[in-house]
Amino acid sequence: MDQHRPNRLRSCHSQTRSVGWFAVRANVVSTPRPGTLYAGTSGFAYPDWAPRFYAPGTRPADLLRAYASRLTAVELNNTFYRQPTPKAIEAWLAATPETFRFVVKAQRGASWRSFRGGAAESVPWLTAAYRPFGERLRCVLFRVDDTTVRDDDA
């Protein structure tokens, strides 16, 4: 942790996809406060999570609304494959309470280009589509390909 920002988390992502812990229910806060922990998973559109997480018969169109009734955040995986449309973002926002938060994966091609020297062009294009999320967007994840090596001197 940064000693100048002791209440901020340095990471916002987990690769865990376990479904065994779903019996634990998150308490949704009415107003976000410093130190609030948002709990979620990588994705939400998994019909086979019924009946352990989703009620049996939950329609695909209702999965996010049902998910948001139990957890406070989600990582949107489909944004890695294509930029979200304003209509899609509007639907995600409408299906969740104001206190719900989103994490998006940056679109793959531009994400990789940004690490190959094209960040000045790639990052603005990547992030412009996410503006409709407003304060409900918590972070953007950039996937780093397997050939990228860390360079602390760069």
Side-chain angles (χ1 to χ4, degrees), residues 21-45:
W21 59 271
F22 284 138
V24 176
R25 228 183 172 153
N27 290 325
V28 178
V29 295
S30 59
T31 304
R33 321 179 276 284
T36 300
L37 176 65
Y38 296 96
T41 63
S42 178
F44 66 89

Side-chain angles (χ1 to χ4, degrees), residues 118-150:
E121 301 84 33
S122 298
V123 172
W125 177 81
L126 282 168
T127 58
Y130 308 139
R131 284 199 171 85
F133 282 109
E135 291 296 316
R136 295 180 62 193
L137 178 65
R138 280 296 160 229
C139 72
V140 175
L141 301 173
F142 286 82
R143 184 185 183 283
V144 180
D145 68 29
D146 296 337
T147 62
T148 302
V149 294
R150 183 176 166 164

Side-chain angles (χ1 to χ4, degrees), residues 42-66:
S42 178
F44 66 89
Y46 304 114
D48 58 323
W49 283 2
R52 293 185 68 194
F53 186 79
Y54 296 119
T58 302
R59 296 176 332 152
D62 296 328
L63 292 176
L64 181 56
R65 186 176 312 282

